Amino acid sequence: MKRILIVGAGGQIGSELVDYTRKIYGGNNVIAADLDESKLTKFQIDGPSEKLDALDGEKYHEIVKRYKIDTIYNLVALLSATGEKNPTLAWKINMGALENSLEIARQENCAVFTPSSIGAFGPNTPADNTPQDTIMQPTTIYGVCKVSGELLSNYYYYRFGIDTRSVRFPGIISYATPPGGGTTDYAVEIFYEAVKNKHYTCYLKPGTFLDMMYMPDALKACVELMEADPSKLIHRNSFNVTAMSFDPEMLADEIRKHIPEFKMDYNIDPIKQKIADSWPNSLDDSCARNEWGWNPQYNLAAMTMDMLEKIEEKYNKGLI
Ligand code: SER
C-alpha cells in the first residue's frame, strides 16, 4: 500500500504529480504539501493537504508519522537561474529540504524520490550523448546542489538501506503550472507568446541544444522509477532521462507548422546562456531504458501539437 507525501506540491512538477498519483493510488493516499497555502486549495477537493516548510524538520516528521507515509517525493528546489541570484539561499533550500527528507525517511523507513537535473553536469562533461556515468563538475549552485544531492541520496541507500531513487530531468515542458527561474523555461514561455502574440523574444542563442521532456513523460518517469523492481536497479541516484533535444530554432520551426505567422527574435540573457552552454546537448538514457524500462511517449512534434492545443484552449477561455 502506497502512502505518498509530495513536498513542494505547488511547483511545476508537483502540481501535476499530485493528480497523477491520486488517480493511481487513490486521493486519500496522496498528501500534497507546500509552503504556500494558496497553492494547496486545488488539491483539497480529492485528498489531504498540509502547509509545510520543508526546512521545518519537526513539522515535516510529524506529518510523515501522522499520515503513515511510506514514499516521499521531495520536489523542493530553487531552479538554476534563481539560484545564481542567491546562491546561499539556493544551497539552504535545496540541500535543507533534501537533508530533512532523507533523515525523516531513515527514521520512518520511507522511500524517497528527488529529481536531479541536466544541471548536475558541467562544461567538462561530454556534451553529446552524455553518458550515465561521467564527469560531473557543474558551475552553477543549482548543479552543485544536484550532484551533492545525488551523492547524499546514494549514501543513505548504501549506509542505511533507504530506498532512494532519482532521475536527472531535462527541461520540463508543461501547460498547467509555469516553471520559475529555470534556464530551460524559454521552451514553455514560447508557447504562451506564440498563442497570445505570435511573437517571442528568446533569451538563448540559436544553436543552444538542450534536452527536454513533456510533462506526461516526466510524471510517468517519477512513478515508473518508484515502482521499478529494485533488484534490476544498478544505478539509483540518478538516472539520465530524456525525450527530445532541440535548439530554439527547431522549436520555433515546429510551432510555425501550426502558427505560420509566428516570429521569433533574440535578446540573449548572458547568465542563462552561460548556464545553458555548460549543460549537455543531449543525454544518453540507455541505463534508464535497460534498468526500469524508461520509454518516453512525446517527441518534439507530438509535444508541440499538444501544448498548442492546450494553451489555445486556455486562451479561448480567457484564462491566460
Ligand atoms: N529546468 C531546470 C532549470 O532550467 C533544469 O533542471 O533550471
Side-chain angles (χ1 to χ4, degrees):
M1 180 66 165
K2 281 255 193 296
R3 297 277 295 166
I4 294 172
L5 177 65
I6 298 183
V7 187
Q12 189 198 12
I13 299 176
S15 292
E16 296 193 50
L17 189 63
V18 173
D19 290 341
Y20 186 80
T21 48
R22 280 182 173 170
K23 284 196 182 99
I24 300 171
Y25 303 106
N28 281 325
N29 292 322
V30 178
I31 291 84
D34 201 278
L35 176 65
D36 181 351
E37 222 163 351
S38 69
K39 292 188 175 159
L40 293 173
T41 321
K42 60 180 180 286
F43 303 127
Q44 286 159 355
I45 307 157
D46 56 356
S49 67
E50 290 284 339
K51 177 178 160 63
L52 173 66
D53 175 353
L55 300 185
D56 179 351
E58 223 168 281
K59 176 144 192 218
Y60 192 162
H61 197 168
E62 185 272 314
I63 290 171
V64 167
K65 283 201 284 201
R66 177 153 47 95
Y67 287 98
K68 299 186 170 49
I69 297 299
D70 57 37
T71 305
I72 296 170
Y73 284 87
N74 165 39
L75 306 179
V76 175
L78 291 193
L79 294 184
S80 55
T82 310
E84 289 316 297
K85 288 191 189 134
N86 196 340
T88 45
L89 184 69
W91 176 266
K92 193 171 151 209
I93 291 176
N94 296 9
M95 294 311 290
L98 178 62
E99 270 178 60
N100 280 345
S101 303
L102 292 171
E103 228 355 74
I104 293 162
R106 182 180 71 76
Q107 292 171 50
E108 303 304 325
N109 196 25
C110 303
V112 184
F113 176 91
T114 308
S116 184
S117 160
I118 50 171
F121 297 111
N124 300 335
T125 305
D128 295 308
N129 219 17
T130 303
Q132 169 68 39
D133 300 308
T134 185
I135 300 167
M136 302 186 78
Q137 295 172 342
T139 47
T140 62
I141 190 67
Y142 177 71
V144 171
C145 292
K146 289 301 184 192
V147 176
S148 311
E150 289 190 16
L151 293 172
L152 192 60
S153 300
N154 272 340
Y155 176 75
Y156 268 74
Y157 171 63
Y158 292 124
R159 177 72 170 79
F160 305 116
I162 300 307
D163 188 0
T164 56
R165 307 181 188 193
S166 168
V167 294
R168 294 181 186 131
F169 272 136
I172 307 286
I173 299 169
S174 64
Y175 58 84
T177 308
T183 302
T184 57
D185 294 5
Y186 91 86
V188 177
E189 291 168 9
I190 192 172
F191 285 102
Y192 285 89
E193 294 308 310
V195 168
K196 288 197 285 193
N197 304 320
K198 320 270 180 257
H199 173 256
Y200 179 61
T201 302
C202 186
Y203 58 77
L204 293 182
K205 285 184 198 154
T208 309
F209 278 82
L210 290 165
D211 284 289
M212 300 279 175
M213 185 182 293
Y214 197 31
M215 184 62 93
D217 281 325
L219 301 173
K220 194 165 98 80
C222 296
V223 170
E224 284 180 3
L225 176 58
M226 293 317 278
E227 290 287 352
D229 176 353
S231 70
K232 303 255 164 63
L233 299 181
I234 298 162
H235 296 84
R236 279 184 166 265
N237 303 283
S238 177
F239 284 95
N240 284 4
V241 286
T242 185
M244 61 194 94
S245 164
F246 57 73
D247 82 325
E249 290 287 300
M250 280 171 73
L251 181 54
D253 285 345
E254 196 59 43
I255 290 173
R256 259 178 231 119
K257 289 182 188 164
H258 305 269
I259 307 175
E261 63 276 37
F262 175 62
K263 293 220 161 37
M264 184 163 75
D265 53 22
Y266 292 90
N267 181 14
I268 306 310
D269 178 323
I271 293 175
K272 289 182 182 166
Q273 184 65 48
K274 200 168 163 209
I275 296 174
D277 288 343
S278 79
W279 290 354
N281 300 330
S282 62
L283 299 187
D284 170 3
D285 61 3
S286 51
C287 289
R289 289 173 186 268
N290 296 334
E291 292 174 42
W292 50 277
W294 166 240
N295 182 21
Q297 305 299 302
Y298 286 86
N299 60 15
L300 174 59
M303 176 277 292
T304 301
M305 198 148 72
D306 203 56
M307 274 295 277
L308 287 174
E309 200 184 296
K310 298 290 176 5
I311 290 172
E312 264 157 22
E313 238 172 74
K314 276 184 157 184
Y315 185 64
N316 293 336
K317 286 184 188 155
L319 297 172
I320 55 168

